[in-house]
Amino acid sequence: MQEELFETQSIAERVASETLIVDVDGFEGPLDLLLTMSRTQKVDLRKISVLDLAVQYLSFIANAKNLRIELAADYLVMAAWLAFLKSRLLLPPDPSQSEPSGDELAAHLAFQLERLQAMRDSAAILMARDRLGRDRFGRAITEDVMRRKTVNYTANLLDLMQGYARIRTKDDFRPFIMDRESVFTMEQALERMRGLIGYSGHWTDIVSYLPDGWSDDPKKYRSATASTFAAALELAKEGKIEIRQEDIFLPIQIRKRAD
Amino acid sequence: MADMQEESLFEAPPIAEQERMVEAILFASADPVSLREMAGRMPHGSEPLIAMQNIQKRYSGRGVEIVQVDQAWAIRTAADLGFLMQRETVETRKLSRAAIETLAIVAYHQPVTRAEIEEIRGVAVSRGTIDQLLELEWIKIGRRRQTPGRPVTFVVTEHFLDHFGLESARDLPGLQELRAAGLLENRPAPGTEALPNNKNSEVIQENLFSDPEDEPID
Amino acid sequence: MADMQEESLFEAPPIAEQERMVEAILFASADPVSLREMAGRMPHGSEPLIAMQNIQKRYSGRGVEIVQVDQAWAIRTAADLGFLMQRETVETRKLSRAAIETLAIVAYHQPVTRAEIEEIRGVAVSRGTIDQLLELEWIKIGRRRQTPGRPVTFVVTEHFLDHFGLESARDLPGLQELRAAGLLENRPAPGTEALPNNKNSEVIQENLFSDPEDEPID
């Protein structure tokens, strides 16, 4: 289809249309295209004729559409907006309308073009500066700064005495844990088991060693189970009992170790 | 703090000695060194700023110069001698036009959001462009803008200033002229849905009744 | 080579200019640079040796020096300024509780073995704690105990006595005195034991004026 279309065109037309194809690819968006077009007006961007520009852009897009170029939506949005702007600029302003006038819209577009151009010029100036690593150079042999941290430890006589007092009065401390009603300590469990173990020659479920009244409240039960188990391990370590569990989740059993 | 007191019992070294120290510190570093960092390494009571200003004069016109980069200082070869260093030149990846323009926009409009960059360029900014500039350490993420969505802003770095030989972002070429011409303003478009990226219709309404020159968004 | 020929049509730059060039080359090169290499980079007709000798003089006594390395030249930090390449920070920290307790045990029970310290403290004493005290020179290794294994003993040092303002270890307050000072009755509530000392000393003050028996802290 396209081949046929081209056949009917003159060589000049074909060159022109191919240029357009290439150019659309090369432009970075509608504003870029407009800025490039504005250069053909060869005037200060502040004196640009936005109307001429709009006409030029619209004909460009119309032309490009004829060539079935797939244009980015951005270009079409801009085309629609410029068509609107063109009508605004051509029709006399309607005083009853509170919408912005064509001149205001045109002024803003001119501002956008001028601002983009200014940024392009600034970028070029910036890139042409004497740059580090190209025109100016930094030190190639550098020395690392070693960071050394010195920590001064201090302590005074009071710290020392307090420290010593803390050790010497440690036995007087009642551990906080004792103040909690539902805690059965390992020491308590050990004491209890030491008293009971002498009578146990057979494998007995460890649960039977839990103190009376500790099995109902779940909190108490948990604590007593843990401490009794820990105490059993301690006694096994001491060689006083033997401990076994036939399979996971099965009861843990203990018995007095035969001498 | 206690050590400071202790150290201050010693006198600061004579200024000529301090100059030698600043010289040594600057020569040993590839990156700009702040006065604070210098003071931290020099004996207590040293005044690196005075020493620095002295040696800056001493090196003026020499093959290497002392330059200020933001709040820090560095030694750099004189720009006119770049031709001697052909072999040291590090080939930087060629920056795309989009990246160069984006960099300029960040430099001149900072702090600037991505949406604002897109508004100025009239086209979407690809992720890669921003990434490339971030990777070069020429731009960095600044504070979030206190507007709906709290978008991040971009600002240029000390590294950028160093690279382009600028003492501060205020020294960007043509900055005053651009500002005077109103070209650094973020001027909203009149009318709603006029151009992409302009969604703040309230501001636009206001703008219809005022001189746009005096109406920067921020 | 062709450019060299071409360049020789021009006169060699003035020696001051050559000095600038040598300066820049030495500054920006990662390795020492030979005169031959300099000559290759500088305009034809330049005499890097003379330029080099001039700037060597110029830098003499400065913070950096031009030094010869084999047949090549480089800029290096002046030897006496090496200390600037270190950044020292001093921090004052309270000795850890474990260290204080260990130190106290050594002071009150010296000569004492590690096993004895552990017995008194009721917990293992880490190697680090002992090392720290040895390093601070507050304790030292005493004679070996004439018991099986001949363990080493620890004693406090002169330095320790100095630091704590004691004439001898016998001057340490005894248990009676500790009790009198309220220290032995100081019964910290669980969880507050590791609090900073000022807090503890408040508690002690309180304790001096009240019946310790009825004074559970919280």
Side-chain angles (χ1 to χ4, degrees):
Chain A
M1 283 292 288
Q2 275 201 334
E3 289 291 320
E4 271 173 48
L5 185 67
F6 281 125
E7 286 308 312
T8 61
Q9 288 176 317
S10 71
I11 294 172
E13 274 172 341
R14 248 161 56 200
V15 169
S17 42
E18 275 164 22
T19 311
L20 285 179
I21 298 166
V22 171
D23 277 355
V24 167
D25 284 343
F27 287 121
E28 295 203 38
L31 214 52
D32 183 31
L33 175 57
L34 277 169
L35 191 55
T36 307
M37 287 176 164
S38 71
R39 291 206 193 99
T40 59
Q41 295 191 13
K42 294 195 173 87
V43 289
D44 188 320
L45 276 172
R46 271 164 287 190
K47 295 174 191 141
I48 198 171
S49 162
V50 171
L51 182 57
D52 287 354
L53 201 58
V55 171
Q56 203 182 342
Y57 184 91
L58 291 172
S59 78
F60 174 90
I61 296 297
N63 205 358
K65 265 203 257 183
N66 286 343
L67 294 169
R68 298 172 198 281
I69 292 168
E70 283 204 6
L71 290 177
D74 283 355
Y75 286 87
L76 297 175
V77 169
M78 177 64 91
W81 186 79
L82 283 173
F84 163 77
L85 173 60
K86 192 177 123 190
S87 66
R88 273 289 160 100
L89 287 170
L90 293 174
L91 296 171
D94 180 353
S96 66
Q97 287 263 4
S98 63
E99 282 175 29
S101 74
D103 287 342
E104 282 170 327
L105 296 171
H108 186 72
L109 179 61
F111 164 76
Q112 283 183 299
L113 292 175
E114 203 191 340
R115 183 173 61 179
L116 180 58
Q117 186 59 51
M119 282 302 106
R120 292 204 169 154
D121 294 344
S122 298
I125 293 167
L126 205 54
M127 299 314 276
R129 284 181 70 84
D130 292 327
R131 285 160 63 183
L132 195 66
R134 192 186 70 181
D135 311 291
R136 296 149 53 250
F137 295 83
R139 185 78 164 126
I141 309 173
T142 58
E143 290 176 55
D144 290 333
V145 177
M146 298 215 321
R147 306 219 166 232
R148 284 211 315 214
K149 193 168 174 184
T150 318
V151 180
N152 275 344
Y153 287 97
T154 61
N156 57 35
L157 195 57
L158 185 64
D159 296 332
L160 201 67
M161 287 159 59
Q162 283 178 326
Y164 192 62
R166 202 157 49 216
I167 301 160
R168 296 314 301 248
T169 56
K170 197 163 49 189
D171 297 341
D172 301 341
F173 291 157
R174 284 191 317 131
F176 183 52
I177 209 157
M178 290 279 288
D179 295 333
R180 286 164 43 184
E181 283 181 354
S182 44
V183 173
F184 193 63
T185 68
M186 184 182 138
E187 281 75 16
Q188 287 173 297
L190 253 181
E191 206 172 327
R192 181 178 164 77
M193 288 180 77
R194 277 188 211 282
L196 296 172
I197 196 72
Y199 306 102
S200 172
H202 309 287
W203 288 111
T204 319
D205 191 335
I206 198 169
V207 176
S208 63
Y209 285 87
L210 295 190
D212 297 333
W214 283 74
S215 311
D216 301 324
D217 182 332
K219 254 195 199 165
K220 283 182 150 186
Y221 178 73
R222 211 160 38 232
S223 170
T225 307
S227 54
T228 302
F229 176 63
L233 288 179
E234 184 61 32
L235 289 171
K237 198 173 120 194
E238 288 174 13
K240 299 218 166 65
I241 64 164
E242 289 174 316
I243 190 164
R244 77 171 187 190
Q245 185 180 25
E246 288 185 330
D247 204 342
I248 49 169
F249 301 123
L250 287 185
I252 296 165
Q253 299 174 311
I254 58 173
R255 74 174 176 198
K256 183 183 168 194
R257 191 183 169 122
D259 291 319
Chain B
M1 290 302 107
D3 336 304
M4 287 246 184
Q5 293 296 342
E6 224 170 301
E7 275 184 299
S8 71
L9 297 176
F10 303 99
E11 264 179 51
I15 194 71
E17 198 55 25
Q18 291 187 35
E19 288 171 28
R20 291 184 69 231
M21 293 177 186
V22 169
E23 218 169 8
I25 290 173
L26 289 183
F27 265 93
S29 172
D31 295 318
V33 186
S34 69
L35 289 178
R36 190 196 176 91
E37 165 82 19
M38 281 181 229
R41 284 156 69 179
M42 291 163 68
H44 192 70
S46 299
E47 299 198 62
L49 181 59
I50 295 172
M52 170 77 65
Q53 286 164 339
N54 290 354
I55 65 163
Q56 194 171 22
K57 272 183 222 127
R58 174 185 289 270
Y59 279 91
S60 150
R62 306 289 316 157
V64 294
E65 295 170 335
I66 305 210
V67 296
Q68 185 175 357
V69 183
D70 213 353
Q71 297 304 304
W73 305 74
I75 304 186
R76 300 289 177 242
T77 60
D80 64 317
L81 299 176
F83 72 94
L84 292 167
M85 255 63 75
Q86 293 305 332
R87 30 175 53 221
E88 324 295 348
T89 309
V90 189
E91 255 327 303
T92 41
R93 224 179 342 154
K94 194 107 174 87
L95 281 179
S96 67
R97 193 172 116 188
I100 291 170
E101 273 180 31
T102 302
L103 178 65
I105 292 168
V106 173
Y108 284 86
H109 290 262
Q110 65 175 338
V112 65
T113 66
R114 189 181 178 124
E116 287 160 356
I117 296 170
E118 294 183 337
E119 148 99 33
I120 293 169
R121 294 198 65 232
V123 69
V125 175
S126 80
R127 170 105 229 141
T129 302
I130 298 274
D131 283 351
Q132 193 182 13
L133 294 174
L134 286 169
E135 207 173 286
L136 280 165
E137 290 181 56
W138 282 351
I139 67 169
K140 64 179 179 188
I141 291 172
R143 310 174 73 170
R144 284 182 183 277
R145 179 68 52 80
Q146 296 306 318
T147 52
R150 302 185 71 243
V152 297
T153 61
F154 297 98
V155 294
V156 291
T157 61
E158 180 189 278
H159 204 68
F160 165 88
L161 298 175
D162 195 16
H163 186 92
F164 291 99
L166 297 164
E167 201 170 296
S168 79
R170 283 184 299 277
D171 297 327
L172 283 164
L175 187 71
Q176 293 315 315
E177 294 84 336
L178 290 172
R179 186 168 291 149
L183 290 171
L184 300 184
E185 287 166 21
N186 194 343
R187 203 183 292 178
T192 47
E193 293 181 292
L195 280 179
N197 297 322
N198 262 304
K199 280 138 196 158
N200 204 336
S201 53
E202 271 178 42
V203 177
I204 290 157
Q205 284 301 324
E206 256 175 54
N207 230 34
L208 288 173
F209 305 106
S210 64
D211 182 357
E213 294 285 322
D214 303 326
E215 198 67 33
I217 280 185
D218 300 312
Chain C
M1 289 300 110
D3 337 304
M4 285 235 185
Q5 290 299 338
E6 223 170 305
E7 276 183 299
S8 73
L9 298 175
F10 304 99
E11 265 179 52
I15 192 70
E17 199 53 27
Q18 293 186 34
E19 286 173 34
R20 291 183 72 230
M21 294 177 183
V22 170
E23 211 171 14
I25 291 173
L26 290 183
F27 174 83
S29 300
D31 299 308
V33 190
S34 67
L35 290 177
R36 187 197 179 89
E37 197 185 331
M38 278 181 231
R41 285 157 82 173
M42 291 162 71
H44 195 66
S46 297
E47 298 196 68
L49 180 60
I50 295 171
M52 169 75 71
Q53 285 166 339
N54 288 355
I55 66 161
Q56 195 170 21
K57 270 185 224 125
R58 176 186 285 272
Y59 277 92
S60 151
R62 305 294 315 159
V64 292
E65 297 169 333
I66 316 276
V67 296
Q68 190 172 359
V69 184
D70 279 330
Q71 295 303 302
W73 302 77
I75 301 181
R76 293 274 190 261
T77 307
D80 64 318
L81 296 179
F83 73 92
L84 290 170
M85 302 310 142
Q86 294 176 345
R87 185 167 183 156
E88 298 203 30
T89 48
V90 180
E91 200 179 289
T92 304
R93 254 188 246 168
K94 261 300 195 215
L95 205 57
S96 71
R97 181 177 151 166
I100 285 178
E101 288 184 7
T102 304
L103 181 64
I105 293 166
V106 174
Y108 278 93
H109 295 264
Q110 65 171 347
V112 65
T113 67
R114 184 170 169 158
E116 288 162 353
I117 296 171
E118 292 182 340
E119 196 185 313
I120 295 167
R121 275 198 74 212
V123 286
V125 174
S126 80
R127 169 106 233 137
T129 303
I130 299 272
D131 285 349
Q132 188 186 23
L133 294 172
L134 286 169
E135 208 173 286
L136 283 164
E137 291 180 51
W138 280 347
I139 67 169
K140 63 180 180 188
I141 291 172
R143 311 173 71 169
R144 282 181 185 277
R145 181 68 50 81
Q146 296 308 317
T147 53
R150 303 187 67 245
V152 296
T153 62
F154 298 99
V155 294
V156 291
T157 62
E158 290 272 323
H159 193 69
F160 165 87
L161 298 175
D162 245 22
H163 184 94
F164 291 92
L166 299 164
E167 222 158 274
S168 81
R170 281 186 302 278
D171 289 352
L172 280 167
L175 284 181
Q176 287 311 312
E177 288 159 291
L178 292 181
R179 199 178 300 278
L183 287 166
L184 280 184
E185 278 74 25
N186 175 23
R187 187 179 294 180
T192 62
E193 293 170 69
L195 282 184
N197 273 292
N198 51 354
K199 179 103 186 209
N200 270 357
S201 50
E202 270 175 35
V203 173
I204 291 154
Q205 284 299 323
E206 262 180 50
N207 260 17
L208 284 173
F209 303 108
S210 62
D211 183 359
E213 294 293 321
D214 305 327
E215 198 66 31
I217 312 298
D218 305 315

